[in-house]
Amino acid sequence: QVQVAESGGGLVQAGDSLRLSCLLSQLTFDIDAIGWFRQAPGREREFVGCIACRGGYLFYADSAKGRLAISRDNVQNTVYLQMNTLKHEDPAVYYCAVSTTYRNSADARDYQAWGQGTHVTVAS
């Protein structure tokens, strides 16, 4: 099974930008999409967006449109989440996940492999 590892989180100021990385151990033919989710303390895991492995189709949560952008580097087996103009509602653990069943699902249950997450904190 593909292994997933997130990196790039940290402490930033409101208004700053941050780019998270999701490194996959391999890009297999059965991977339909790579998604990003986030979970803030005391809240449920929330879909951020995903990118399809074939065709590069992008699907974002409404809350992510305009400030967050997902991209993919197939050579590096890496998917990125660019976050701009970070706000105080953005702090969370950000997770990357792989789906072998759907290319545009916002449901965490449709993702089979997950990373350990990377923490994003916005200084007050």
Side-chain angles (χ1 to χ4, degrees), residues 60-76:
Y60 293 103
D62 287 342
S63 60
K65 292 177 181 177
R67 289 196 304 122
L68 308 183
I70 296 173
S71 60
R72 185 183 73 217
D73 184 337
N74 287 343
V75 174
Q76 300 293 330

Side-chain angles (χ1 to χ4, degrees), residues 22-28 34 53 71-80:
C22 171
L23 176 64
L24 280 66
S25 58
Q26 55 184 332
L27 274 175
T28 58
I34 295 98
C53 277
S71 60
R72 185 183 73 217
D73 184 337
N74 287 343
V75 174
Q76 300 293 330
N77 285 358
T78 301
V79 173
Y80 302 100

